[in-house]
Amino acid sequence: MKRIELNQILGDIVAVYPGAARKFNEYSIDYCCNGNRTLKEALKDKDVNDNDFVESLNKEFREFLNSNEKYIDWRKEDPRKLIKHIVDTHHRFTFDTLRELDELILKVTRVHYNHAPEKLLVIHKLFGELKLDLEEHLIKEENDLFPMIFDYLDNRSEKKRDEIFSYIGVIESEHRGAGHILSDLYRETDGYKLPEWACTTFKLVYRKLQELEKDLYVHIHKENSILFKNI
Ligand SMILES: [Fe+2]
Ligand SMILES: [Fe+2]
């Protein structure tokens, strides 16, 4: 998919371009439980011009695709190679960054609590949820889903394929869940706008949260739109 159109289903748009989740949340468009509607239907009662909305979404989507161009065209590669790449780069990066952020967020919450108690507690809580969900998600992919795919590729059967795709349903809903939390974090941090009192550690927290988000969108795109479409 090179372009997002108004007649596409919300859930499909987020699967191909996970960054759309943030924009949908900004406009209170429920792409999760009500993800079976088209973008046009979802925009019906919103105070926004349909074409302007889809154009600005496509502008972001193009930037996202271009930023990935320096990567290998994974659609042409063996899915086994893509899985190895996902685990070695994105999973490793996510585990490491979550661990680093965990310490940093605890530190700034304790040190700066009196500056903005509510904001800091919300960030602390949302990050805690994201960390728990993502760690479990990655462990499930590495121990359940990816071995199932390897096994299927070595010895294909309809039964194995059905099992894989029912598991993928769970995995994709977890991707949407992580996208929800990231959008909440974006909103609660005012788009990662630094407060006046931000110290070096606090600046590092915002920078690392944004790096985590950016990598996660690429990571989810590779799974939903390339790996799961090529097995
Ligand atoms: Fe993954
Ligand atoms: Fe995943």
Side-chain angles (χ1 to χ4, degrees), residues 86 91 134 137-138 141 145-146 171-172 174-175 216 219-220 223-224 228:
I86 287 171
H91 284 208
L134 279 178
H137 175 81
L138 302 185
E141 285 182 342
L145 181 64
F146 295 163
I171 289 293
E172 286 190 332
E174 291 175 357
H175 290 163
L216 202 68
H219 173 182
I220 293 175
E223 290 176 351
N224 285 358
F228 302 161

Side-chain angles (χ1 to χ4, degrees), residues 9 15 23 34 52 73 107 110 128 151 182 201-202 205 212:
I9 303 289
K23 205 165 184 66
N34 280 311
D52 291 349
D73 185 353
K107 189 176 163 191
R110 293 179 74 188
D151 178 48
L182 285 167
T201 314
F202 195 90
V205 165
L212 181 72

Side-chain angles (χ1 to χ4, degrees), residues 6 20 29 73 98 114 137 152 155 210:
L6 284 164
I29 294 170
D73 185 353
L98 287 170
N114 290 325
H137 175 81
Y152 168 75
N155 196 355
Q210 289 177 89

Side-chain angles (χ1 to χ4, degrees), residues 75-90:
R75 287 165 302 185
K76 298 191 179 110
E77 299 290 336
D78 187 320
R80 280 169 275 228
K81 194 174 163 193
L82 175 55
I83 289 176
K84 188 174 181 316
H85 159 79
I86 287 171
V87 172
D88 290 348
T89 58
H90 297 292

